[in-house]
C-alpha cells in the first residue's frame, strides 16, 4: 500500500506534470518535424528522379537520331551500339514509388520496353548480316525496314512523352 501512495504522490507532483508536459510537447514537435522532413526529402527525390529519367530518355533520343543518320547513309551503316535501357530501367524501378500514378509509370516503362525491342532488332540485323545464308540476308533487309520505322515511331512518342511529362511536372 505504501508503494502505491508514493507513486500517486509522484504522479500528482508538480515536477512530474512539468516533465510530462515537456516530454509530450517534445514528442509532438519531433513527429511534426520528421513528417515535414520526410515530405521534403520525398519531394527532392521525386524531382531528382524526374530529372534523371528525362535526361536518360533524352540520351536515348540522341542515340535514336544517331541510328537514323547511320541507316540513311548511302550505303546504309548498321549502328554498332545499343540504346541505354539499363539506366532507364534502373531509374524506373528504383524510383517506382515516387511516381504519382501507375499510368505515368506504365507510359515510361512502355517506352523502356520499346528501346529494348529496338536493341533486339539491332542484334538480329547484326546476326543476319554475319551469316552466309541468303535467307538470313533477306531477313536482315526486312528487319532493316522494321527498325527504321520503329526508330521513327519511338523518337516521336518519347519526345511527346517527355514534353507531356515536363508540362505536368
Amino acid at each position: 500500500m505504501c508503494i502505491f501512495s508514493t507513486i500517486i504522490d509522484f504522479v500528482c507532483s508538480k515536477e512530474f506534470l512539468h516533465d510530462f508536459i515537456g516530454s509530450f510537447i517534445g514528442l509532438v514537435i519531433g513527429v511534426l518535424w520528421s513528417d515535414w522532413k520526410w515530405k521534403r526529402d520525398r519531394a527532392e527525390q521525386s524531382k531528382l528522379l524526374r530529372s534523371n529519367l528525362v535526361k536518360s530518355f533524352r540520351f536515348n533520343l540522341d542515340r535514336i537520331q544517331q541510328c537514323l543518320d547511320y541507316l540513311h547513309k548511302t550505303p546504309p551503316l548498321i549502328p554498332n551500339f545499343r540504346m541505354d535501357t539499363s539506366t532507364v530501367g534502373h531509374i524506373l524501378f528504383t524510383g517506382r514509388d515516387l511516381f504519382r500514378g501507375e499510368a505515368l509509370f506504365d507510359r515510361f516503362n512502355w517506352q523502356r520496353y520499346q528501346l529494348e525491342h529496338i536493341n533486339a532488332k539491332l542484334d538480329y540485323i547484326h546476326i543476319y548480316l554475319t551469316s552466309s545464308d541468303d535467307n538470313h540476308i533477306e531477313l536482315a533487309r526486312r528487319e532493316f525496314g522494321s527498325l527504321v520505322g520503329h526508330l521513327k515511331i519511338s523518337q516521336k512518342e518519347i519526345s511527346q512523352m517527355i514534353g507531356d511529362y515536363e508540362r505536368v511536372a
Side-chain angles (χ1 to χ4, degrees):
M1 197 80 156
C2 187
I3 191 118
F4 289 119
S5 85
T6 306
I7 291 172
I8 290 174
D9 287 342
F10 174 71
V11 170
C12 293
S13 72
K14 202 174 196 180
E15 295 85 26
F16 175 78
L17 192 57
H18 287 183
D19 290 346
F20 179 77
I21 291 172
S23 296
F24 183 74
I25 290 171
L27 174 72
V28 169
I29 289 171
V31 167
L32 291 175
W33 180 81
S34 59
D35 184 54
W36 170 80
K37 183 161 175 27
W38 180 81
K39 286 177 183 173
R40 189 191 70 182
D41 290 348
R42 187 163 169 85
E44 287 176 10
Q45 289 172 348
S46 183
K47 186 177 178 181
L48 184 61
L49 167 77
R50 187 170 41 253
S51 171
N52 287 337
L53 191 58
V54 168
K55 182 180 176 182
S56 182
F57 271 104
R58 285 195 193 285
F59 176 82
N60 280 296
L61 280 175
D62 291 343
R63 298 298 71 75
I64 289 173
Q65 186 58 54
Q66 192 177 10
C67 276
L68 288 169
D69 292 345
Y70 277 36
L71 295 168
H72 284 48
K73 288 185 180 203
T74 307
L77 298 173
I78 304 301
N80 62 349
F81 55 86
R82 298 166 54 87
M83 302 295 113
D84 182 16
T85 57
S86 59
T87 301
V88 171
H90 176 75
I91 294 168
L92 276 174
F93 295 118
T94 58
R96 183 174 186 159
D97 63 328
L98 297 175
F99 280 91
R100 292 185 185 131
E102 282 295 310
L104 187 58
F105 173 83
D106 291 344
R107 189 172 179 194
F108 275 95
N109 192 42
W110 176 251
Q111 291 308 320
R112 179 205 54 83
Y113 174 78
Q114 295 308 311
L115 293 173
E116 292 276 7
H117 195 184
I118 288 168
N119 284 341
K121 287 181 179 186
L122 283 166
D123 292 344
Y124 280 123
I125 289 173
H126 282 284
I127 290 168
Y128 294 151
L129 289 177
T130 57
S131 172
S132 59
D133 186 356
D134 288 339
N135 290 333
H136 284 154
I137 305 253
E138 182 55 36
L139 288 171
R141 282 192 188 109
R142 277 190 269 156
E143 200 65 41
F144 179 89
S146 173
L147 175 63
V148 170
H150 199 161
L151 286 166
K152 288 179 179 178
I153 290 169
S154 289
Q155 185 178 43
K156 179 183 172 196
E157 289 180 354
I158 290 172
S159 295
Q160 183 179 1
M161 177 185 69
I162 289 172
D164 292 349
Y165 188 57
E166 288 176 332
R167 276 192 292 281
V168 171

